[in-house]
Amino acid sequence: MQALESYLGGRWAGGRGAAHTLVNPATEAPLATASSEGLDLAAALEFARARGGPALRALSFAERGALLKAMAEALQEARDELLALGIANCGNTRSDAKFDVDGAIGTLLAYAELGESLGAARFLLDGEGLQLGRSPRFHGQHVAVPRHGVAVHVNAFNFPAWGLCEKAAPALLAGMPVLSKPATATAMLAERAMRAVVEAKVLPEGALQLLVGAPRDLPARLGAQDVLAFTGSGATGERLRALPNVVRHAVRVNVEADSLNAALLGPEVEPRSDMYELFLKDVVRDMTQKAGQKCTAIRRVLVPQALLEAVREDLVELLGAVKLGDPADEDVRMGPLTSEAQLGEVLEGAQRLGAESRQVAGGARRALERGYFFAPALFEYGLGAEANAAHEREVFGPVACLLPHDGDPSQIVARGQGGLVCSIYSEDAAWLERTVAQVAPWHGRLFLGHPKIELSPGPGTVLPQLVHGGPGRAGGGEELGGRRALNFYLQRVALEGSRPVLAALAKGAAA
Ligand code: NAP
């Protein structure tokens, strides 16, 4: 069995002691082991700060962008192997695996392009310069410069390739070195992706390191110039934010956590119309892609009371037709959940939903004898139902709640206490305007579905140009969003002084 290794301090090394076993979730066959015990985390952090940081800061944005492009090319070379690992270790269908791996490559390329557009500069101007007093010589200018610490990235199990790259791309482009920790259950894919990058020798030493296995006390070692970007459960996010060193040194923390994303169908939409069909397609795709293990997946399906029956019947039929099985078989549409622990969580969550609603699709137990399979499940609520679990419990699997609304779904949406994305399907301009105004403050992104958009990716796809994150339950974080993503890794500084002196200093910055 393969023993996975970490890439720290410029070399590959495995941990000792008791290791975690990674399995194929469709067959439960063991595939690899991972341990981080005994690895020198303090030295790895120092290696990033002392070697990776200075090397990156010496480069221009265009040069850092070129590194990202070379990283993308290295992953492209290894793509077939990465997809195979997505199928074997993550329970992905080939299409699910492409979503992760091609998403990683596409995000690197998007930030490579941004780097090219920022050119020879090494830091950013933040806004226009301003005259500060009566003398035209007294001037102010904000700039944003790379922090001198290390960016620690802790990722969730569901996107081992994309998670690594969507966080690393803006950090490296901003000029900060990265130490990335993938979730242990699916670390095979992240480890292989890292090997591809290391073998291609595209990055300066210390710019990117990988810790495979338990995080141990890694976040507790961060200081005033470091940052921590975390994706995972709200409970872990809470613990990390409260770490004494994080509080004492004001370590910057970005949390991407749970989300009960809602899809809203407008009151004017007719069954069988193009808008209606698009809505159904997006709901079914989100429930079944990656077996529903997407932070952006639709969890709450809000429909006008008059359409409840039609939507239920259509969803039950569409979900029932999804072929479940080993994703190594090409005709399988949905694979298993990623781990036994995940199956346990989903079973428990489905039970909570079932206790307060009527289950209209799917089973209540593991769907196949072997492997962590769970059939897509839909839970229906009545108008005005209490629906506590529906608005509080993110069941991270192929599970959604169907809830009727009386024309104004915004109060129901707000009960989710903040989300990553809300999708809205309507062509009624006045209703759209009202609904957008009500739900916008609760979200990081709104997806306005329209049948005329060709090849619409649906609300579940995160794009590098747009913000990913959300308030409240979603963690309050913000990742991606083009150039905005760099801000997390940059220190904004106000310069004040003589105008010509400031102008000379600002020459090395990109506007
Ligand atoms: P989790 O248990 O919080 O784990 C997430 C990551 O944190 C893993 O890498 C885990 O490492 C690590 N971790 C656990 N305890 C830690 C600690 N004390 N210090 C430092 N790191 C620690 O979450 P999960 O259950 O695997 O992930 C599923 C959740 O992620 C879902 O709730 C989903 O909504 C959320 N998610 C959110 C987004 C988003 O962008 N908002 C995207 C994907 C997933 P080990 O694996 O080694 O335990």
Side-chain angles (χ1 to χ4, degrees):
M1 200 166 16
Q2 185 187 353
L4 298 180
E5 292 184 317
S6 295
Y7 187 72
L8 301 175
R11 64 185 194 90
W12 289 99
R16 47 177 164 68
H20 184 99
T21 302
L22 285 72
V23 302
N24 179 328
T27 62
E28 300 181 32
L31 299 175
T33 58
S35 165
S36 62
E37 215 185 303
L39 298 175
D40 190 343
L41 304 185
L45 291 170
E46 212 31 55
F47 190 68
R49 295 182 191 114
R51 293 276 299 275
L56 286 167
R57 294 196 298 275
L59 302 176
S60 67
F61 283 113
E63 287 165 333
R64 292 176 211 148
L67 299 182
L68 299 181
K69 184 155 185 258
M71 248 179 101
E73 285 163 1
L75 296 189
Q76 186 66 40
E77 281 281 305
R79 182 172 178 269
D80 285 343
E81 263 184 80
L82 297 174
L83 295 181
L85 285 172
I87 294 167
N89 180 213
C90 309
N92 289 175
T93 61
R94 192 171 161 85
S95 155
D96 291 341
K98 284 186 196 165
F99 193 57
D100 183 25
V101 173
D102 293 344
I105 295 171
T107 303
L108 286 169
L109 290 174
Y111 280 88
E113 228 174 82
L114 175 63
E116 200 183 333
S117 75
L118 293 172
R122 292 185 168 76
F123 61 104
L124 296 176
L125 286 185
D126 182 88
E128 305 269 312
L130 3 130
Q131 185 178 320
L132 295 173
R134 261 190 259 155
S135 157
R137 285 217 153 231
F138 188 35
H139 211 64
Q141 172 69 60
H142 289 93
V143 296
V145 298
R147 289 190 145 211
H148 281 197
V150 49
V152 166
H153 292 165
V154 178
N155 283 312
F157 65 82
N158 54 345
F159 284 100
W162 179 79
L164 169 68
C165 296
E166 62 95 23
K167 281 190 174 63
L172 296 174
L173 184 58
M176 265 194 102
V178 172
L179 199 171
S180 189
K181 193 214 106 54
T184 305
T186 56
M188 285 182 89
L189 181 40
E191 198 235 32
R192 181 64 190 92
M194 185 71 192
R195 282 191 190 274
V197 173
V198 172
E199 279 159 19
K201 295 191 172 38
V202 294
L203 295 175
E205 278 303 351
L208 183 62
Q209 302 181 84
L210 187 80
L211 174 66
V212 174
R216 297 183 20 227
D217 62 350
L218 182 67
R221 294 176 171 276
L222 300 183
Q225 282 285 304
D226 302 324
V227 306
L228 173 64
F230 166 78
T231 297
S233 63
T236 310
E238 246 174 70
R239 270 206 298 282
L240 293 178
R241 266 195 237 274
L243 286 173
N245 63 308
V246 167
V247 176
R248 189 176 324 119
H249 300 300
V251 176
R252 258 188 208 175
V253 181
N254 192 76
V255 174
E256 300 287 342
D258 315 349
S259 181
L260 290 151
N261 312 294
L264 320 181
L265 190 61
E268 91 293 356
V269 179
E270 297 283 342
R272 307 274 82 82
S273 63
D274 289 348
M275 185 66 91
Y276 180 88
E277 297 296 337
L278 174 72
F279 169 80
L280 289 181
K281 189 172 154 202
D282 283 355
V283 172
V284 172
R285 175 176 39 207
D286 262 19
M287 286 182 67
T288 56
Q289 189 174 44
K290 287 189 134 277
Q293 298 165 110
K294 253 175 12 190
C295 52
T296 49
I298 296 167
R299 308 283 177 206
R300 298 179 296 162
V301 184
L302 273 57
V303 303
Q305 169 74 30
L307 290 182
L308 183 67
E309 199 175 321
V311 173
R312 176 212 309 131
E313 280 178 10
D314 288 331
L315 284 180
V316 168
E317 187 185 331
L318 290 165
L319 293 171
V322 172
K323 181 160 185 213
L324 201 69
D326 188 333
D329 295 343
E330 272 177 21
D331 57 341
V332 160
R333 283 263 319 277
M334 196 181 95
L337 296 165
T338 306
S339 64
E340 188 162 23
Q342 207 46 40
L343 176 64
E345 288 273 319
V346 168
L347 287 169
E348 196 269 331
Q351 201 174 22
R352 263 196 74 189
L353 295 176
E356 61 175 30
S357 66
R358 182 165 81 97
Q359 183 167 1
V360 292
R365 60 171 72 93
R366 84 166 54 203
L368 302 176
E369 234 168 66
R370 172 135 18 115
Y372 312 130
F373 292 96
F374 187 80
L378 188 66
F379 295 86
E380 183 180 320
Y381 291 74
L383 191 65
E386 196 56 41
N388 290 320
H391 301 301
E392 283 164 14
R393 175 66 197 262
E394 182 202 47
V395 185
F396 208 61
V399 177
C401 298
L402 178 61
L403 300 127
H405 67 78
D406 61 4
D408 176 10
S410 58
Q411 296 307 313
I412 307 178
V413 173
R415 288 193 60 198
Q417 293 295 306
L420 296 171
V421 56
C422 178
S423 46
I424 310 177
Y425 301 80
S426 170
E427 287 193 81
D428 177 337
W431 186 83
L432 262 183
E433 195 180 330
R434 270 198 316 277
T435 307
V436 165
Q438 289 299 323
V439 303
W442 290 103
H443 295 91
R445 180 163 60 91
L446 298 185
F447 176 88
L448 306 176
H450 199 285
K452 293 262 159 52
I453 303 173
E454 285 156 31
L455 302 175
S456 164
T461 299
V462 174
L463 299 168
Q465 303 88 340
L466 297 182
V467 160
H468 173 58
R473 181 195 303 279
E478 197 175 278
E479 284 181 345
L480 300 173
R483 183 169 162 164
R484 292 170 191 83
L486 273 54
N487 292 338
F488 184 62
Y489 302 99
L490 300 172
Q491 179 64 39
R492 186 170 17 230
V493 191
L495 301 178
E496 56 179 324
S498 148
R499 184 171 187 161
V501 172
L502 262 54
L505 284 173
K507 265 203 184 123

